[in-house]
Amino acid sequence: MKQQKHPNFIIIGAMKAATTSLYACLKQHPDVFMTSIKEPMFFNNFQKANDFKVHGRKTKKITTFDQYYSLFDAVKNEKAIGEASPSYIFNEDCPQLIHKYLPKTKIIAVLRQPVERAYSNFLHARRANREPISDFEIAFNKEEERKAENWSPLYYYKSKGYYAKQLERYYSLFPKENIKILLFEDLVKNPIETSQEIFEFLNVDNTFVPDTSKKVNVSGTPRGIFGWLIMKLRYYNLIPNIQFSNYLPIFIVKFLFNSAYKKAKPLNKEVAKRLTKKFYKEDILALEKLIGKNLQHWLS
């Protein structure tokens, strides 16, 4: 009987915190296996209907262990076996489920300043034609109303930024030495050093140097007819969920992206300061103590 392979590490989030870039770096390492589907989201959907309201067509879900473990069938002799589902950090049931079925799994989280993360989340939804509201702050403050109407967690821009509360669920179940916390800004500014830090955490060769020249999953807003067409194709899931930079020269990928999207308008600094102070100050201070990192720059 064929022995089932399963992950020994999971990237749990956060959404729009460069987890796709980290996934791309890890995938290059010869001793690391990453699932071809970047975000299985299995533990979100295991034994749940999750019939949420989504603006746009719904995607196919992985809901059984047979489906989930089949994602690891291609594992050969890799020492570190992983997947990356950024929604795991926010979902209240995921820590218990992961601990129950994969108790020795190492946990990796990448955290981003909560309002900046929310804005990038909003742009991501807008780009995919899944967010009908064009004003970020209005959409941000719509969360309670949307929750009451059973909208998908995709739209929980505010709640996803309470990292201390979310991570406490993991720290209460997994040994501290099996949890690795990264900051988005470190991964963006020093991608090679940060990736090698993860390689060391996973007990694989930490001298390996990944190619970090390709920017992945960059946010933008649709441009012209081509952008409108791409947005509609994404809306109806008619574009496969693949990383095109793995198959096409980078200059072609850049040309296609720049033809379809224009650079998103930067987050208004006053809005960022106001929302941070109103909603996240206490959680950021609690997070500092929990993960042992200075986050004063997030408050300013």
Side-chain angles (χ1 to χ4, degrees):
M1 185 175 178
K2 185 178 178 181
Q3 186 177 5
Q4 283 184 321
K5 305 285 177 44
H6 55 76
N8 53 30
F9 78 92
I10 296 176
I11 301 172
I12 61 169
M15 181 182 177
K16 304 308 296 179
T19 57
T20 303
S21 295
L22 180 58
Y23 165 88
C25 288
L26 290 171
K27 200 173 176 67
Q28 295 174 46
H29 197 294
D31 289 328
V32 178
F33 176 89
M34 299 297 295
T35 55
S36 58
I37 297 175
K38 186 250 173 180
E39 299 182 20
M41 296 175 62
F42 168 65
F43 289 103
N44 292 86
N45 298 313
F46 179 55
Q47 295 182 335
K48 297 184 187 72
N50 283 353
D51 193 21
F52 295 115
K53 180 178 178 180
V54 180
H55 186 76
R57 189 176 177 182
K58 295 181 180 180
T59 55
K60 189 176 180 181
K61 299 173 183 176
I62 295 172
T63 58
T64 69
F65 273 104
D66 285 342
Q67 291 173 317
Y68 183 60
Y69 287 143
S70 71
L71 300 176
F72 304 94
D73 284 347
V75 172
K76 296 176 182 176
N77 298 312
E78 294 89 351
K79 296 177 182 177
I81 303 168
E83 62 121 320
S85 295
S87 51
Y88 289 167
I89 190 173
F90 177 71
N91 186 286
E92 292 185 13
D93 297 322
C94 285
Q96 288 281 357
L97 289 170
I98 295 171
H99 185 260
K100 179 179 179 180
Y101 293 102
L102 301 168
K104 296 182 180 180
T105 299
K106 290 187 173 183
I107 302 297
I108 300 171
V110 189
L111 308 180
R112 184 176 186 177
Q113 204 281 350
V115 180
E116 291 180 2
R117 190 223 64 80
Y119 184 60
S120 186
N121 189 164
F122 166 79
L123 292 177
H124 174 87
R126 287 287 295 170
R127 189 180 77 179
N129 198 30
R130 291 179 178 271
E131 174 54 76
I133 297 174
S134 60
D135 183 277
F136 166 63
E137 196 168 2
I138 292 174
F140 183 90
N141 289 317
K142 274 274 186 180
E143 183 169 318
E144 281 69 29
E145 180 181 327
R146 286 175 163 180
K147 282 182 177 179
E149 296 174 354
N150 199 39
W151 281 56
S152 164
L154 168 68
Y155 304 97
Y156 297 176
Y157 307 129
K158 184 193 302 178
S159 297
K160 288 180 188 173
Y162 293 116
Y163 305 129
K165 181 179 179 181
Q166 296 162 27
L167 285 175
E168 280 170 357
R169 294 194 282 261
Y170 283 92
Y171 276 100
S172 69
L173 295 169
F174 293 88
K176 190 174 182 179
E177 61 270 21
N178 281 1
I179 300 176
K180 185 70 174 178
I181 307 298
L182 304 175
L183 298 183
F184 169 84
E185 51 266 35
D186 293 335
L187 187 55
V188 170
K189 293 177 183 177
N190 304 298
I192 293 175
E193 293 88 341
T194 306
S195 297
Q196 291 177 331
E197 192 178 326
I198 292 298
F199 296 152
E200 184 175 4
F201 175 68
L202 297 175
N203 297 318
V204 296
D205 179 12
N206 67 343
T207 64
F208 178 80
V209 179
D211 178 5
T212 61
S213 62
K214 298 177 181 179
K215 290 188 177 182
V216 291
N217 208 19
V218 180
S219 295
T221 55
R223 181 201 300 272
I225 297 297
F226 186 46
W228 178 86
L229 177 61
I230 294 295
M231 184 173 67
K232 287 298 181 183
L233 291 173
R234 288 170 65 91
Y235 180 83
Y236 291 109
N237 292 329
L238 297 177
I239 295 180
N241 186 24
I242 61 175
Q243 188 57 45
F244 288 100
S245 58
N246 291 338
Y247 305 95
L248 298 173
I250 193 64
F251 73 91
I252 293 180
V253 175
K254 286 183 177 179
F255 172 77
L256 292 174
F257 184 87
N258 291 333
S259 298
Y261 300 103
K262 58 185 176 181
K263 191 173 182 179
K265 184 180 178 181
L267 173 62
N268 182 284
K269 291 182 179 179
E270 291 306 314
V271 170
K273 287 180 181 178
R274 183 171 66 253
L275 295 180
T276 298
K277 183 178 180 181
K278 182 176 180 180
F279 294 106
Y280 297 113
K281 183 177 180 179
E282 289 185 11
D283 190 80
I284 290 173
L285 294 175
L287 182 64
E288 279 190 323
K289 295 179 181 179
L290 183 66
I291 67 175
K293 291 181 182 286
N294 187 330
L295 300 173
Q296 291 304 303
H297 58 294
W298 281 13
L299 293 170
S300 60

